[in-house]
Amino acid sequence: MAAMAQDKPPLANISDISLHYGILLTPSVTPIDLFGPLDVFSSLAMSYLNDTGKNMRLSILSVNSTPSTTNPPMEGLNFGMALPPTITLDEYLKAAATNFSSNSSCSSSTVPGPLDVILVPGGGGTRKDVSHEIDFIKTVYPSLKHLISVCTGSTILARAGVLDNKQATTNKKSWTWATSFGRNVSYVPHARWVQDGNIWTGSGVSAAIDTAYAFVASVYGEEVAQYVADVSEYTRWTNQSYDPFAERW
């Protein structure tokens, strides 16, 4: 039986809890790739914030201050919303270069300390010029606790070299293009998501939510992930090795 509210399980690894989450935007982002995991992490913060006495923070990162969009990059289509960043990539890197000193040109309110987790959503923007995003991931990955991609967001990780010699998965409909990046990456065709070390790669679109719950289960505990899913009234997909869309596409 699912845990009731009064039976909320404790967080695992509470002494090493990840506090600063970042979402890396490209020019066009698939909505659920971003908002699916964001809702999972928001529910985690809402359910456990008072228990930790700590404050989970969120940064939205982009190459510049121009908002990204959820509108697919298709001529004549105008059905999306703007996604303004809270910080640019250069601002974050400049703050990191000064160890996030309050005396730096970027105030601590703009850059709330080093990132612990970065989520890289997919979407049409990953097929644009994303050289700055690739360089950013290459630069900051060694300092992260965890890195998560969804859908074709995996191509940014692969082009940054962080998937080299690792297992990963990606969008099944875009499989041929998305798996053309990286060196010696073992792409798993039937996986809903793959974890290799501190990197999670999710399959297409709706797998964003399942990947986020898998991350929560691995880092904070399976019972915690199930509790957060129960709070959201979400039925989790727990078999990472089965993705029927691999057969469909």
Side-chain angles (χ1 to χ4, degrees), residues 14-68:
I14 192 169
S15 62
D16 193 33
I17 188 171
S18 296
L19 296 175
H20 188 188
Y21 285 68
I23 296 175
L24 177 62
L25 300 178
T26 57
S28 173
V29 174
T30 299
I32 200 170
D33 287 13
L34 186 161
F35 292 112
L38 180 57
D39 189 73
V40 175
F41 302 146
S42 296
S43 295
L44 177 70
M46 178 180 66
S47 297
Y48 284 95
L49 180 61
N50 290 334
D51 295 358
T52 65
K54 300 177 180 179
N55 185 20
M56 288 174 62
R57 297 157 294 179
L58 178 68
S59 292
I60 309 297
L61 302 113
S62 186
V63 171
N64 52 46
S65 59
T66 301
S68 175

Side-chain angles (χ1 to χ4, degrees), residues 29-119:
V29 174
T30 299
I32 200 170
D33 287 13
L34 186 161
F35 292 112
L38 180 57
D39 189 73
V40 175
F41 302 146
S42 296
S43 295
L44 177 70
M46 178 180 66
S47 297
Y48 284 95
L49 180 61
N50 290 334
D51 295 358
T52 65
K54 300 177 180 179
N55 185 20
M56 288 174 62
R57 297 157 294 179
L58 178 68
S59 292
I60 309 297
L61 302 113
S62 186
V63 171
N64 52 46
S65 59
T66 301
S68 175
T69 179
T70 63
N71 189 59
M74 298 173 62
E75 186 176 352
L77 184 62
N78 186 20
F79 192 81
M81 61 178 289
L83 299 170
T86 62
I87 182 174
T88 69
L89 305 187
D90 284 344
E91 286 173 338
Y92 180 83
L93 293 175
K94 287 178 182 178
T98 63
N99 199 28
F100 303 94
S101 169
S102 59
N103 296 322
S104 69
S105 59
C106 296
S107 69
S108 59
S109 61
T110 303
V111 189
L115 288 161
D116 296 315
V117 182
I118 289 182
L119 169 74

Side-chain angles (χ1 to χ4, degrees), residues 37-227:
L38 180 57
D39 189 73
V40 175
F41 302 146
S42 296
S43 295
L44 177 70
M46 178 180 66
S47 297
Y48 284 95
L49 180 61
N50 290 334
D51 295 358
T52 65
K54 300 177 180 179
N55 185 20
M56 288 174 62
R57 297 157 294 179
L58 178 68
S59 292
I60 309 297
L61 302 113
S62 186
V63 171
N64 52 46
S65 59
T66 301
S68 175
T69 179
T70 63
N71 189 59
M74 298 173 62
E75 186 176 352
L77 184 62
N78 186 20
F79 192 81
M81 61 178 289
L83 299 170
T86 62
I87 182 174
T88 69
L89 305 187
D90 284 344
E91 286 173 338
Y92 180 83
L93 293 175
K94 287 178 182 178
T98 63
N99 199 28
F100 303 94
S101 169
S102 59
N103 296 322
S104 69
S105 59
C106 296
S107 69
S108 59
S109 61
T110 303
V111 189
L115 288 161
D116 296 315
V117 182
I118 289 182
L119 169 74
V120 184
T126 59
R127 296 178 184 259
K128 303 294 185 178
D129 177 9
V130 287
S131 55
H132 293 295
E133 292 90 339
I134 293 167
D135 288 343
F136 181 76
I137 290 297
K138 184 184 300 184
T139 299
V140 302
Y141 171 65
S143 66
L144 299 177
K145 292 181 179 179
H146 310 286
L147 179 60
I148 308 167
S149 73
V150 178
C151 192
T152 56
S154 66
T155 66
I156 293 180
L157 275 58
R159 284 177 275 184
V162 302
L163 295 184
D164 290 353
N165 303 307
K166 292 183 179 293
Q167 288 192 323
T169 196
T170 188
N171 182 288
K172 303 307 188 291
K173 191 172 185 293
S174 300
W175 186 261
T176 299
W177 174 76
T179 59
S180 66
F181 301 101
R183 292 178 295 180
N184 197 33
V185 182
S186 298
Y187 287 103
V188 185
H190 284 82
R192 186 71 169 164
W193 70 85
V194 168
Q195 177 191 354
D196 193 325
N198 67 342
I199 298 179
W200 280 259
T201 52
S203 185
V205 194
S206 64
I209 302 173
D210 305 311
T211 304
Y213 277 115
F215 164 81
V216 172
S218 178
V219 174
Y220 302 111
E222 168 61 30
E223 291 184 344
V224 169
Q226 188 57 55
Y227 178 84

